[in-house]
Amino acid sequence: MRRDATRDALDALRPLREEGGGEELLFKSLKHRSGHVVALAADIVGAREDSGLQGDLRADFHQALLQAWHRLRRKLHQSDPGCTGQVGVLQALESLRSHEEEVFRAAAVHVQLEPAWGPPVDTATTLRCMGMLGVLRIGPLDTFTVLGQGLLDGHPRVREEACRALGIYGHSHGVALIRLLLENEKDPEVFFGGVRGLLHLDLELGLSDCRRLLKERHPFLPEVLLALGESRSPLVLPLLQDVLLRFGEPAALTAAGLMRHDAARDWLLDVLASQGQPQASAALEALKVYRFQEGTLENALRAAGRNPHCDVAGAVREALES
């Protein structure tokens, strides 16, 4: 019976996840024709970097990873369907804090259309996200341009990652690009990422835009609220309170939990004590993030006991006791 060479190669590599040594096999596997084998070998190399590759061995692995990258990209659909090997190599290069700028640039714009039922499928979205973050870490002068290209990507995940990267990059020019994206964005997760990035880049302007979106009751109202909560700014709480009062939107309570502020926690306790079942239950769910703070369970039980509209005391114990 003919054995599967790729399966044999993977079986030989797997023990190296837990064991030391095996450098010769790792170098050999990085030259394998299968992207899956290359990806596993690269993953093991990256994990060893976390525990401290040193000297010549580290340099040799870095060079072997670069060679694997260029080889995989010669005949992509044959050697690396699904971008498995490229993603594995790029992750390992990131672990090694590689400064091979052109590799990350190439990844940031790579599109790989592969056959599927119906239209071809782009399998390189993860690769583009990783490439953008690698360029961000290396920090060339045109980093902003690379990230801006990501905002125009046809795949929502890449646009969301570009928003996050722009927020990390911290360049004021990113504000204009993200605001332009938000004017036309149709994907809720990308919209959330855009608002979050905007708040990170310019809190004052971001809050101003959010006030307008909340007033209009934007279709992505929950996403706006969650991004506000993640900002953890104390200026957010009055906005959340107003939205709950006007629209009864439970995401306002979830966002208050994300804030992790004492004032937000106290508001959630007030809602638990005074509102009907839907809002009281949403407040209790949001309070879970505070369950390890001293006094949270006791305060929640007291609040639930004062609620004239519904009995949530039993739910409080179930949610907060741990």
Side-chain angles (χ1 to χ4, degrees), residues 191-192 195 199 210 213-214 218 220-229:
F191 200 89
F192 163 75
V195 175
L199 289 165
C210 286
L213 295 170
L214 297 177
H218 192 277
F220 295 147
L221 180 65
E223 285 72 24
V224 176
L225 292 168
L226 295 177
L228 284 166

Side-chain angles (χ1 to χ4, degrees), residues 167-228:
I168 296 171
Y169 185 49
H171 199 296
S172 60
H173 292 329
V175 172
L177 278 182
I178 290 179
R179 295 180 85 194
L180 184 61
L181 170 82
L182 292 175
E183 287 297 320
N184 301 290
E185 184 56 57
K186 306 300 182 186
D187 186 274
E189 292 185 5
V190 179
F191 200 89
F192 163 75
V195 175
R196 182 177 57 183
L198 180 59
L199 289 165
H200 186 84
L201 285 170
D202 189 328
L203 180 62
E204 183 178 355
L205 181 60
L207 288 174
S208 176
D209 282 3
C210 286
R211 289 187 186 97
R212 174 178 55 81
L213 295 170
L214 297 177
K215 184 178 180 180
E216 296 171 355
R217 200 171 187 178
H218 192 277
F220 295 147
L221 180 65
E223 285 72 24
V224 176
L225 292 168
L226 295 177
L228 284 166

Side-chain angles (χ1 to χ4, degrees), residues 222 225-226 243-244 247-256 267-268 278-279 282-283 286:
L225 292 168
L226 295 177
V243 167
L244 187 70
F247 305 135
E249 173 56 58
L253 299 166
T254 306
W267 177 53
L268 291 171
Q279 292 187 358

